[in-house]
Amino acid sequence: MAGDAPSPDAGRSRPQPGPADQQLIARLLSGDEDAARLLIERYDRLIRYTIFKTGKRHCDRDPGWLDARANEAWTAIVSALRRRGVHAIPPKIPAYFAAIARNKALDAVAQADARTTVPFDSAAAESGPPAEPASDA
């Protein structure tokens, strides 16, 4: 359920068996879909935890909000890695991924908050437009 908080240790990095992150990113940049899958398996909890902590009230309101933001974050991560290229792989990959996820979540929160409607004041609407002052002619 989207309103349930991920475990407190969800965002902590743990040693993972398998290829090093730099190797996986190099493979991803050369078109290896298995490398993308492994990176997602390794860091999806971190990405989702970061998004959840940034936009908790939106996660509580809309069960699909977290999934949509996670998909946007992963798309942005892959795009950013491709722009940087294989020779500019960031040294602190978990922090780099979390920063992108947080920025995507902050953007989504700002957009959602901007769309929030102002409550309608029915009493003011029933009284009609304000009366114009009488003019001395």
Side-chain angles (χ1 to χ4, degrees), residues 24-44:
L24 286 175
I25 291 172
R27 287 174 42 198
L28 167 76
L29 295 177
S30 68
D32 185 346
E33 290 184 24
D34 286 336
R37 183 183 49 77
L38 289 170
L39 281 169
I40 291 170
E41 285 176 6
R42 188 172 289 179
Y43 289 109
D44 198 50

Side-chain angles (χ1 to χ4, degrees), residues 29-131:
L29 295 177
S30 68
D32 185 346
E33 290 184 24
D34 286 336
R37 183 183 49 77
L38 289 170
L39 281 169
I40 291 170
E41 285 176 6
R42 188 172 289 179
Y43 289 109
D44 198 50
R45 286 177 53 129
L46 171 66
I47 298 302
R48 289 175 180 276
Y49 180 76
T50 302
I51 293 166
F52 180 83
K53 294 302 282 184
T54 304
K56 183 178 182 325
R57 66 187 159 93
H58 294 284
C59 292
D60 290 342
R61 277 191 230 149
D62 179 3
W65 195 88
L66 178 61
D67 290 335
R69 301 302 76 80
N71 287 337
E72 289 171 6
W74 279 112
T75 300
I77 288 167
V78 171
S79 295
L81 290 171
R82 286 186 176 142
R83 276 192 309 274
R84 291 176 68 102
V86 72
H87 299 293
I89 295 172
K92 297 180 180 178
I93 291 168
Y96 183 72
F97 286 5
I100 291 173
R102 182 175 183 273
N103 289 339
K104 282 294 175 187
L106 287 172
D107 289 346
V109 166
Q111 287 177 355
D113 289 347
R115 287 191 301 262
T116 303
T117 58
V118 176
F120 179 70
D121 184 359
S122 60
E126 290 175 8
S127 66

